[in-house]
Amino acid sequence: MTVINSLVANDLYVDYVVKKESISALKGVSFHVKRGELLVILGPSGCGKTTLLKTIAGLLPIRKGSMELDGIDATTLAVKDRNLAYVSQSFTTYRFYTVYRNIATPLKAARVPLDEIDRRVHEAARKLDIEYLLSRKPSELSGGQQQKVAIAKALVKHPSIYLFDEPFSNLDFKTKTALREEIKRIHHDDDATMVFVTHDLNDALALADRVLVMEEGKIVKEGEAREIVFSLQDEVGLHPLEEGKE
Ligand code: ADP
Ligand code: MG
């Protein structure tokens, strides 16, 4: 059986220019994500995780290197032409919209017919067990519920890849554990392709099919979750393994 790659990154270089000075944030990053795989990229703060996800999403230009999505050259493809969903670490809901309208936003933007929007919003809300929250405003939700809304907003798009940028950073242990299970369930039930970046070793252990380790704009290690996590547990800048004690 041939393995199909959802994403191939070839030697990516991405820079930021600040006051005419160039800061190199990705320094030759190469990796692939197989279709249906949940890849965790683990690395300390500042190593380039967000830059990498934004580059995949098409939000940052690539200085050198190339990228393929589902076998098609996507190096300069417009954001709207990549069917990707980005779930960020901060809650990115619209305060004045109901939960329903928040979840429906990406579909409205894509001009999906209203009955189809309704069907997909309810389907996503049901999967995350938040149907009873659809008429509330985000301010009437807990942090965990808000993050579920953000995940539902990704789900409705039926994206070819989910990009998770440390989505549990602001959540307590219990909520984090529950949401990891939700993400695993979606990954499993929908055969979804996911890239999850984090500095939390426990995310890698709980979620990953495979782990890449990132340091200073480069991928430095690749392997199976347990083996990688135990080799890294004393590294500075990574969330240690004891959990549930906070
Ligand atoms: P991470 O998500 O792993 O914490 P980032 O991708 O946010 O790392 O940052 C990688 C590097 O790029 C850091 O050195 C950071 O300071 C720098 N950087 C990130 N965003 C910007 C920006 N908008 N302008 C200039 N430098 C940035
Ligand atoms: Mg980041």
Side-chain angles (χ1 to χ4, degrees):
M1 200 180 79
T2 48
V3 177
I4 302 168
N5 285 318
S6 287
L7 169 73
V8 180
N10 293 313
D11 203 24
L12 296 179
Y13 284 77
V14 172
D15 304 329
Y16 293 102
V17 179
V18 181
K19 292 181 184 159
K20 292 187 183 161
E21 241 181 82
S22 178
I23 299 163
S24 183
L26 298 185
K27 304 169 187 166
V29 170
S30 300
F31 67 101
H32 67 275
V33 188
K34 294 191 270 286
R35 186 171 293 169
E37 186 179 33
L38 200 170
L39 178 75
V40 170
I41 300 178
L42 192 59
S45 176
C47 74
K49 302 184 296 298
T50 297
T51 305
L52 180 59
L53 289 192
K54 284 187 174 166
T55 306
I56 296 170
L59 299 166
L60 292 171
I62 298 169
R63 172 168 63 79
K64 181 173 169 283
S66 65
M67 197 165 84
E68 276 176 26
L69 290 169
D70 290 321
I72 293 164
D73 180 20
T75 313
T76 57
L77 198 67
V79 177
K80 66 173 176 50
D81 297 326
R82 311 177 184 217
N83 185 26
L84 308 176
Y86 187 96
V87 180
S88 77
Q89 124 180 25
S90 49
F91 309 132
T92 49
T93 45
Y94 297 105
R95 284 168 54 214
F96 302 110
Y97 287 4
T98 60
V99 167
Y100 183 100
R101 204 165 157 198
N102 266 289
I103 298 173
T105 303
L107 300 181
K108 285 215 166 122
R111 298 179 186 279
V112 173
L114 283 181
D115 55 342
E116 170 75 6
I117 291 182
D118 194 58
R119 200 184 58 72
R120 287 214 228 164
V121 169
H122 279 280
E123 179 193 58
R126 200 160 43 242
K127 277 191 185 159
L128 289 153
D129 211 12
I130 52 169
E131 268 190 302
Y132 69 107
L133 299 175
L134 285 173
S135 56
R136 293 212 202 156
K137 297 276 173 60
S139 60
E140 297 159 345
L141 305 180
S142 69
Q145 289 169 333
Q146 288 196 45
Q147 205 52 292
K148 279 191 176 188
V149 173
I151 297 169
K153 200 171 152 184
L155 260 179
V156 287
K157 291 176 77 179
H158 297 166
S160 62
I161 307 179
Y162 290 84
L163 305 172
F164 290 102
D165 193 352
E166 313 211 45
F168 306 151
S169 302
N170 298 316
L171 303 175
D172 60 71
F173 166 68
K174 203 167 148 239
T175 312
K176 215 189 294 193
T177 310
L179 279 182
R180 280 188 194 127
E181 288 308 313
E182 298 288 352
I183 287 181
K184 268 172 81 164
R185 205 158 47 79
I186 293 164
H187 167 58
H188 183 265
D189 292 354
D190 298 355
D191 231 346
T193 308
M194 298 177 164
V195 180
F196 190 107
V197 307
T198 181
H199 69 283
D200 187 336
L201 297 172
N202 293 292
D203 285 340
L205 274 183
L207 294 169
D209 292 331
R210 183 162 59 99
V211 178
L212 300 181
V213 180
M214 205 170 166
E215 256 171 40
E216 296 181 11
K218 290 181 181 159
I219 306 284
V220 295
K221 261 187 209 170
E222 172 184 347
E224 182 266 326
R226 294 206 148 264
E227 156 208 343
I228 290 277
V229 163
F230 286 106
S231 74
L232 286 177
Q233 59 179 317
D234 297 326
E235 300 248 341
V236 179
L238 291 173
H239 190 293
L241 278 178
E242 296 86 37
E243 204 175 34
K245 292 180 183 164
E246 53 268 68

